[in-house]
């Protein structure tokens, strides 16, 4: 029980920072092995291989986003029940969430494998990387049940205030992934398949660590009556999870439209864009961690009936998030070129061209980073209140802005216009979230 955290008393800022720090470290390790994938593939196999991995990125992100949406939605109910001290109901929610997660994973696995070729054709994937992209994507799809298991187990732990166990799981996964990358790609010459297989195996290990921890928590020890399948509870959980899954799906569809535009600009541009996208996770790693903390904090305090603490916690979390975004942006602006060179390898001309593309995109995202951090904290607070529909609308706004900018700006500004599509998406979502938040707070009063 020592790793669980009740967030209904004490300093909100201290609670959320102490909760978010292990998540940040865990997310950093997750990004680290994602970056290691890209770096090893780029350095060993070259620019064409990194372009092949990048061409599948948004499709894979869509599947992962749907999974995260459902499990985060389920965790909202868990955090509210934990905050209210309803342990029996909490266990029943976990059992029913597990059943829904398993069914969803099987549907996504079948759908992903059946539609893989169609999706790559739809994205205008270049012939030069099509075969490798297909192999990488299909291999990642086989890992969908493992990804679902980890996200569900991690969401259960986070809803109870345990951010440390997912950290330990991600540290182990990172080390395993990097070790397997170095074995599969340069030693066994397994190419992009080896990189994908290493990721799936590492994720399996992280899910087992989280499951081991859950089985050791006293209040989660299942009784026979906890395993009751409740249709009404399924409906409640799906009402929480589906809007978040749909939100992530819509966002990723917008990203795929952007990818289809990028795929028309050649392998060097795809490689440069992909190199920066591999750092995208590093840019938002603290934002997602603050978001998880905000959702758990809000859910627990709502369950405990402490509404004033929700407003206080939101203000403090937003201040901390903006300061963090400025610090991360400064690091990326000054050290970005050196970091990007980890992903890029080739002759001098190709390297210089790819690096220029990558750094230009990284610079634009870095200076606009506070917009993204406002998005994560505000959206997560609204979700913690049990409202997942308004955040879904912000996801639709992201889709419209990202897609519109991707299709229009390259015509006006040349191919560099595509770099502003992501910023436009963040800003569009923020407008919706600004009004949504105050509407939710008014209803809370």
């Amino acid at each position: 029980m020592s790793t669980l955290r009740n967030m209904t008393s004490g300093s909100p800022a201290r609670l959320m920072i102490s909760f978010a720090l292990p998540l940040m470290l865990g997310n950093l390790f997750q990004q680290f092995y994602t970056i290691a994938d890209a770096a090893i593939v780029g350095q060993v196999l070259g620019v064409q291989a990194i372009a092949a991995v990048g061409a599948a990125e948004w499709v894979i992100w869509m599947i992962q986003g749907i999974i995260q949406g459902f499990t985060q939605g389920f965790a909202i109910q868990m955090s509210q029940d934990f905050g209210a001290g309803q342990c029996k109901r909490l266990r029943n929610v976990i059992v029913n969430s597990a059943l829904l997660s398993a069914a969803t994973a099987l549907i996504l696995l079948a759908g992903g494998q059946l539609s893989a070729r169609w999706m790559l054709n739809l994205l205008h994937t270049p012939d030069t990387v099509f075969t490798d992209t297909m192999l990488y994507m299909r291999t990642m799809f086989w890992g969908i049940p493992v990804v679902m298991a980890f996200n569900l187990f991690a969401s259960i732990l986070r809803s109870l205030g345990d951010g440390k166990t997912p950290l330990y799981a991600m540290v182990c996964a990172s080390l395993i992934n990097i070790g397997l990358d170095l074995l599969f790609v340069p030693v066994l010459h397994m190419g992009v398949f080896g990189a994908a297989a290493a990721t799936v195996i590492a994720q399996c290990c992280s899910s087992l660590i989280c499951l081991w921890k859950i089985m050791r928590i006293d209040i989660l020890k299942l009784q026979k009556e906890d395993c009751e399948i409740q249709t009404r509870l399924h409906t409640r959980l799906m009402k929480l999870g589906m809007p978040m899954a749909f939100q992530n799906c819509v966002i990723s569809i917008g990203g795929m439209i952007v990818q289809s535009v990028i795929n028309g600009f050649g392998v060097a541009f795809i490689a440069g864009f992909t190199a920066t996208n591999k750092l995208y996770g590093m840019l938002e790693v603290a934002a997602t961690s603050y978001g998880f903390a905000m959702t758990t904090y809000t859910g627990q305090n709502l369950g405990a009936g402490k509404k004033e603490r929700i407003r206080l916690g939101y203000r403090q979390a937003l201040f901390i998030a903006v300061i963090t975004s400025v610090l991360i942006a400064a690091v990326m602006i000054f050290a970005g070129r050196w970091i990007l060179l980890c992903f890029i390898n080739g002759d001098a001309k190709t390297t210089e061209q790819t690096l220029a593309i990558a750094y230009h995109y990284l610079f634009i995202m870095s200076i606009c980073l506070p917009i993204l951090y406002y998005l994560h904290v505000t959206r997560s607070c609204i979700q913690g209140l049990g409202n997942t529909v308004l955040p879904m609308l912000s996801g639709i706004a992201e889709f419209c802005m990202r897609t519109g900018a991707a299709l229009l700006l390259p015509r006006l500004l040349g191919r560099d216009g595509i770099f502003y599509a992501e910023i436009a998406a963040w800003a569009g979502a923020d407008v919706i979230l600004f009004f949504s938040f105050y509407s939710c707070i008014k209803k809370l009063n």
Side-chain angles (χ1 to χ4, degrees):
M1 289 289 290
S2 60
T3 56
L4 306 188
R5 181 180 287 106
N6 190 313
M7 304 179 78
T8 59
S9 61
S11 166
R14 189 178 300 112
L15 283 167
M16 281 189 279
I17 290 175
S18 63
F19 181 83
L21 279 175
L23 296 182
M24 285 183 209
L25 291 173
N27 287 335
L28 278 172
F29 273 99
Q30 185 176 25
Q31 295 303 321
F32 184 51
Y33 78 63
T34 300
I35 288 172
D37 266 346
I40 293 169
V41 169
Q43 292 295 325
V44 176
L45 304 177
V47 169
Q48 185 163 312
I50 192 67
V53 172
E57 194 155 2
W58 272 108
V59 179
I60 294 168
W61 194 95
M62 179 180 70
I63 299 295
Q64 293 176 338
I66 293 171
I67 290 171
Q68 290 173 358
F70 277 114
T71 55
Q72 288 172 22
F74 300 159
I76 291 171
Q77 186 63 53
M78 297 175 200
S79 64
Q80 291 177 2
D81 289 340
F82 180 68
Q86 298 286 344
C87 295
K88 184 178 185 300
R89 188 168 63 188
L90 170 64
R91 292 192 295 269
N92 188 238
V93 168
I94 290 174
V95 169
N96 284 272
S97 297
L99 292 174
L100 292 173
S101 297
T104 303
L106 292 176
I107 293 170
L108 290 174
L109 173 58
Q113 293 290 2
L114 291 173
S115 62
R117 182 174 295 276
W118 172 79
M119 284 189 285
L120 290 184
N121 285 326
L122 190 67
L123 291 172
H124 305 113
T125 306
D127 292 339
T128 53
V129 300
F130 192 96
T131 301
D132 280 346
T133 301
M134 174 72 77
L135 178 61
Y136 182 83
M137 193 164 70
R138 285 194 183 279
T139 306
M140 293 293 287
F141 283 168
W142 285 116
I144 286 173
V146 173
V147 176
M148 177 65 83
F150 171 74
N151 278 276
L152 176 64
F153 299 153
S155 293
I156 292 170
L157 292 168
R158 289 166 183 154
S159 70
L160 306 184
D162 180 3
K164 292 183 179 179
T165 302
L167 163 63
Y168 302 148
M170 292 312 305
V171 170
C172 291
S174 299
L175 297 176
I176 292 169
N177 189 84
I178 294 169
L180 292 177
D181 271 338
L182 293 172
L183 173 65
F184 291 166
V185 180
V187 177
L188 300 181
H189 306 291
M190 296 170 65
V192 294
F193 168 77
T199 300
V200 172
I201 294 171
Q203 288 172 335
C204 183
C205 294
S206 63
S207 65
L208 291 174
I209 292 170
C210 290
L211 176 60
W212 175 82
K213 176 61 179 179
I214 289 171
M215 294 174 67
R216 292 171 58 86
I217 298 175
D218 291 338
I219 63 171
L220 299 186
K221 292 188 182 300
L222 295 178
Q223 308 296 324
K224 185 176 180 180
E225 58 270 21
D226 298 327
C227 299
E228 179 185 358
I229 299 175
Q230 297 190 38
T231 305
R232 291 181 64 183
L233 180 56
H234 284 186
T235 303
R236 165 68 177 162
L237 291 172
M238 293 303 285
K239 283 183 178 179
L240 290 170
M242 283 191 71
M244 297 178 71
F246 180 75
Q247 163 196 312
N248 289 342
C249 183
V250 167
I251 291 171
S252 61
I253 290 172
M256 285 191 282
I257 293 172
V258 173
Q259 187 68 54
S260 70
V261 174
I262 293 165
N263 287 347
F265 294 148
V267 171
F269 196 91
I270 297 172
F273 197 88
T274 300
T276 296
N277 269 346
K278 290 299 180 183
L279 291 181
Y280 191 128
M282 300 292 286
L283 293 174
E284 70 169 353
V285 66
T288 56
S289 301
Y290 290 139
F292 280 126
M294 193 74 243
T295 300
T296 301
Y297 173 90
T298 304
Q300 287 191 14
N301 280 280
L302 182 65
K306 298 185 176 182
K307 300 176 182 178
E308 184 57 39
R309 278 181 60 81
I310 295 174
R311 290 187 287 270
L312 175 63
Y314 170 77
R315 291 193 295 268
Q316 293 183 6
L318 189 60
F319 175 78
I320 295 167
V322 170
I323 296 299
T324 303
S325 70
V326 172
L327 294 175
I328 292 174
V331 171
M332 290 298 173
I333 288 171
F334 290 107
R337 290 183 183 275
W338 177 80
I339 298 171
L340 288 167
L341 279 173
C342 296
F343 309 106
I344 301 169
N345 187 29
D347 60 77
K349 182 178 179 181
T350 301
T351 299
E352 182 180 354
Q353 181 184 7
T354 305
L355 179 61
I357 293 166
Y359 183 73
H360 187 189
Y361 184 30
L362 178 63
F363 180 84
I364 291 170
M365 283 208 295
S366 295
I367 61 175
C368 297
L369 208 53
I371 302 173
L372 177 64
Y373 275 62
Y374 175 88
L375 186 159
H376 276 279
V377 172
T378 306
R379 177 181 282 166
S380 297
C381 184
I382 296 171
Q383 289 169 343
L385 292 170
N387 188 328
T388 56
V389 174
L390 291 175
M392 180 187 70
L393 295 179
S394 73
I396 295 174
E398 277 194 65
F399 167 78
C400 294
M401 295 296 290
R402 182 180 285 112
T403 303
L407 296 176
L408 179 63
L409 292 181
R411 297 175 183 271
L412 300 176
L413 306 175
R415 67 181 190 178
D416 286 359
I418 198 72
F419 296 146
Y420 298 94
E422 200 64 24
I423 313 304
W426 301 345
D430 280 356
V431 172
I432 301 296
L433 292 170
F434 177 84
F435 293 104
S436 297
F437 174 76
Y438 288 103
S439 173
C440 289
I441 290 296
K442 186 176 180 181
K443 290 180 181 178
L444 189 65
N445 291 333

